[in-house]
Amino acid sequence: MAPRDDAVSSHVHFHRTIGYNGSTYNYSSLRASVDQEDGMADQVVIAQREPYVMEVGPGTVYWCRCGRSKTQPFCDGSHTGTDFSPIEVEFKERKRVAFCGCKHTNKPPFCDGTHSTL
């Protein structure tokens, strides 16, 4: 089975700088394969069907990718034992953002409206 666009077959660290609402932050992640040996994948839990809108920064946050965290939208380690890992996001300044709550965004960690189609 070929890996999906949202998965990689081994641990990969990537880092890029992205502009969001006219400013810049660093986005990096350590991603693990979501494809297990039996061909099944860990399921994302929809934490909520709307974004988490809040003020963040400056500093680093870890966005929960699996949906299991009790401290949404941030990671609390609940992904342990799954193939998920959080996304590290560094904000250079304080800003208002909309973190994805459904965990199905195509622009992680930010909401892209996908929740309206689930």
Side-chain angles (χ1 to χ4, degrees):
M1 171 187 303
R4 298 183 314 265
D5 286 348
D6 64 339
V8 292
S9 58
S10 61
H11 285 31
V12 175
H13 181 269
F14 61 96
H15 179 88
R16 61 185 171 166
T17 302
I18 300 173
Y20 181 77
N21 285 346
S23 62
T24 301
Y25 65 90
N26 291 321
Y27 169 101
S28 64
S29 174
L30 182 63
R31 294 177 62 169
S33 170
V34 295
D35 295 320
Q36 297 175 343
E37 289 180 17
D38 62 3
M40 300 297 290
D42 286 325
Q43 295 295 312
V44 171
V45 174
I46 297 173
Q48 69 179 28
R49 293 188 193 292
E50 61 186 35
Y52 293 93
V53 179
M54 62 183 58
E55 296 280 329
V56 292
T60 302
V61 298
Y62 295 86
W63 177 70
C64 170
R65 184 192 310 252
C66 71
R68 292 165 175 81
S69 175
K70 302 293 185 232
T71 59
Q72 291 291 333
F74 307 114
C75 179
D76 68 359
S78 294
H79 63 274
T80 302
T82 71
D83 288 330
F84 293 102
S85 59
I87 291 180
E88 178 183 58
V89 186
E90 180 182 350
F91 293 93
K92 298 294 185 184
E93 58 193 30
R94 186 155 186 83
K95 63 175 57 257
R96 187 170 180 84
V97 297
F99 287 110
C100 174
C102 73
K103 311 305 178 184
H104 287 82
T105 183
N106 291 310
K107 297 181 179 183
F110 303 110
C111 178
D112 67 357
T114 299
H115 61 273
S116 64
T117 65
L118 300 176

